[in-house]
Amino acid sequence: MATNIPELFGSSVFNDKIMRAKLPKDIYKALRKTIENGTHLELDVANAVAVAMKEWAVENGATHYTHWFQPMTGYTAEKHDSFISPTGDGQIIMDFSGKELVKGEPDASSFPSGGLRATFEARGYTAWDPTSPAFIKDHTLYIPTAFCSYSGEVLDKKTPLLRSMETLNREATHMLHLLGNTDVTGVSTTVGPEQEYFIVERDLYKKRKDLVFCGRTLFGAAAPKGQEMEDHYFGALKPRIADFMHDLDKELWKLGIPAKTKHNEVAPAQHELAPIFETTNVAVDHNQLTMEMMRKVARKHGFVCLLHEKPFEGINGSGKHNNWSLITNTGVNLLDPGKTPGENTQFLVFLMAVIKAVDDYADLLRISVAGAGNDHRLGANEAPPAIVSIFVGDELQAVMDSIENDTFFTGLHREQLETGAHVLPHFTKDTTDRNRTSPFAFTGNKFEFRMLGSSASVSTPNIVLNTAVAESLRQFSQKLEGVAPEEMGDAVHALLKETIIAHKRVIFNGNGYTDEWVKEAKKRGLYNLVSTPDALEHFTDDKNVELFVRHGVFTKEEIFSRDEILLENYSKSIHIEVKTLDDMLKKDFLPAVSAYVEQISDTAVKKKTLVPGLPLTYETSLITKLSSLQAEIASGLEQLLADADAADAKESALLTAKAYHEVVLAHMEALRVKIDEAESLVPDALLPYPTYDQLLFSI
Ligand code: ADP
Ligand code: MG
């Protein structure tokens, strides 16, 4: 049956169209004003909105509502309350007030707070974010909210994001006014996150404790085939995968999520989904929902969706590309160079603001994507290196060179693309090729930050990006403030030139996967924060605290608490891996090896009785090999458990995390080599869990 997609799109969302239809005119106007300008929302408006929302929700099958929020776990949280309200005569009505819409009071003590609050100060608040639309899912009305403690400390990923959007809006609008563009009254940021993921059979998944508990395989010999044939990327979709993707699209469209592109990715069993970009906080909420729907729809199809950054060794892991730009309330993309970037002063100012921001706060950008999972990808020649640098391409490089050297920029020649086949349409080539190795690339009219891991919220990188760019613009404004209009051109040129000279070290248009770049980056004084603990050590550096405090995005205490949470998260993730490995080795793997050794021994004994003097070198060498690997694995495991205990006993969260990185993880990797070697000698039939070839090639 054909579905009317325009009708389906947003059908589960309390969107603008519904609001306009359901709300009295003045209420609708007041709400729009709050959404667009962030003005305070009066209670009578909230009450009217609540009534309309409830009516619409109940009509569409909802029985409950929930304040939906994003605590520091990186996941979303929800607690459902029904609309029922007793009328005193044993009956009920469906009721929902403005107060319930605007504010919730969940117990905050069981969410990570990084020592911000003692557990007896349990009260927390959730506050409605009217800029992200409410929606219905599973018979519940979901209200996007921010989450803070009783005393006002932020405990979530939405509040600082909204704050960062506000400060960037203020600084960018101010800059545009200084440049004479006074029509603009607001600037917001847009984000389009491309999401990678793996799909595996659910029955197989359930047999692997490492996938269930850690989201990744902790060992497993490589399948005979990996991604070397380059045949999966953009390959034809298998029917069951196509069905899954179709269902997923429909579920996302219902929720108003503009899912646009889907395709097979580089690794076997790996895929990607990209939406059309939206305002940042809506894009962040939608990415959370997308990940949730991927998991849910996959289950319906007998699959499991793996969002871990590195589910399988030896093939690519999954990331997320954060496409980011700035747009004015008059609809102008501030990162669109137009036909003549060399003459587009406004564009150049914003471009240089981003470049300066990325150079000044490269450490924070690296921190914003840090995590145990993502550490497996960054710098492993499948994702950008841990060094943050910017790719601008030939045309912008030429523009910047001409500004730096006071030479006249004549523009690059745009060639016709010659395919040699006359039936094909002709089009002009982009002025620059792509660079897949760059962590932060200019892609025509936006930047693409490519270091994000697949599982994490896209909130944090955008908090950093928005705040850092706001700071560049603030500093630029100080230099342009009070300059007479007739001198503005020269002042801007001087500012651009000085900024290029100061920050060109962060620009790198070459291959980021090479060792030469690592050396070169070191010479240039760029950060190379290889692991999460290395990166997090810099979170609380003075310059970073100053940045967030100045822009009202985090207090000093909030930064320290977040640092603590992230460090603990890192150590806990690896500790869970150690415990899972312990369990799998003792209960699944080592017994399987023993069973095989026994089988071979039995065979050898039988052979010997049957034909005395028959050579038994095959059996004896296999038994010897397996037994010695088994002994090494068993002792390696004991060492690993002791390492984890020692790491936990360190005096601070940072030292614990460092010990997990330097000792535990290193030993776990060495141990894995032995396990994989032994596994490759044991028949599949004796292994109580599915191997790589089954996991990656069975759909
Ligand atoms: P590319 O082929 O360069 O990756 P696409 O047009 O396919 O570009 O876009 C990739 C992602 O970037 C999509 O999610 C898209 O919506 C997003 N995107 C495009 N323009 C912008 C913008 N101005 N701001 C933020 N994201 C954008
Ligand atoms: Mg892309």
Side-chain angles (χ1 to χ4, degrees), residues 194 321 323 434 448:
E194 301 165 57
H321 288 176
N323 294 275
R434 303 194 153 231
E448 186 171 358

Side-chain angles (χ1 to χ4, degrees), residues 114-187:
L116 260 187
R117 305 148 30 264
T119 41
F120 59 84
E121 297 167 328
R123 203 198 288 267
Y125 288 124
T126 48
W128 178 34
D129 169 17
T131 61
S132 182
F135 55 91
I136 295 173
K137 191 165 67 69
D138 305 325
H139 306 288
T140 294
L141 169 69
Y142 281 74
I143 300 158
T145 58
F147 178 48
C148 66
S149 76
Y150 178 67
S151 37
E153 288 109 355
V154 171
L155 299 175
D156 73 343
K157 300 200 174 218
K158 185 190 267 282
T159 315
L161 180 70
L162 292 172
R163 289 173 175 174
S164 75
M165 289 167 68
E166 241 172 74
T167 186
L168 184 55
N169 175 15
R170 201 167 39 240
E171 297 298 342
T173 307
H174 183 56
M175 172 54 72
L176 288 170
H177 290 179
L178 282 175
L179 295 174
N181 191 346
T182 46
D183 295 346
V184 173
T185 54
V187 173

Side-chain angles (χ1 to χ4, degrees), residues 285-412:
D285 288 359
H286 280 173
N287 181 251
Q288 285 285 3
L289 272 176
T290 300
M291 291 192 286
E292 187 186 321
M293 296 317 283
M294 280 176 165
R295 290 196 173 101
K296 193 167 143 185
V297 176
R299 277 178 183 261
K300 252 178 49 194
H301 286 254
F303 298 139
V304 167
C305 172
L306 303 178
L307 288 168
H308 192 282
E309 284 76 13
K310 193 72 182 177
F312 305 102
E313 201 62 36
I315 54 172
N316 281 7
S318 299
K320 205 141 41 183
H321 288 176
N322 191 76
N323 294 275
W324 180 93
S325 192
L326 296 138
I327 190 162
T328 66
N329 65 326
T330 54
V332 177
N333 176 356
L334 291 170
L335 292 179
D336 189 341
K339 289 214 166 66
T340 51
E343 293 160 23
N344 189 342
T345 308
Q346 188 172 289
F347 161 74
L348 290 171
V349 167
F350 282 91
L351 174 76
M352 287 319 300
V354 177
I355 292 174
K356 173 176 163 56
V358 172
D359 189 26
D360 286 342
Y361 298 102
D363 51 345
L364 281 180
L365 284 168
R366 168 66 183 96
I367 288 161
S368 78
V369 299
N374 213 17
D375 277 5
H376 294 287
R377 295 173 62 240
L378 299 177
N381 286 5
E382 57 167 277
I387 306 161
V388 177
S389 67
I390 304 178
F391 170 82
V392 292
D394 299 338
E395 186 168 34
L396 290 187
Q397 188 63 60
V399 171
M400 286 166 59
D401 289 347
S402 74
I403 294 172
E404 186 185 343
N405 304 316
D406 292 316
T407 52
F408 186 67
F409 176 70
T410 49
L412 288 188

Side-chain angles (χ1 to χ4, degrees), residues 92 149 227 237 416 539:
I92 54 116
S149 76
Q227 61 191 44
L237 301 178
Q416 281 275 328
F539 198 3

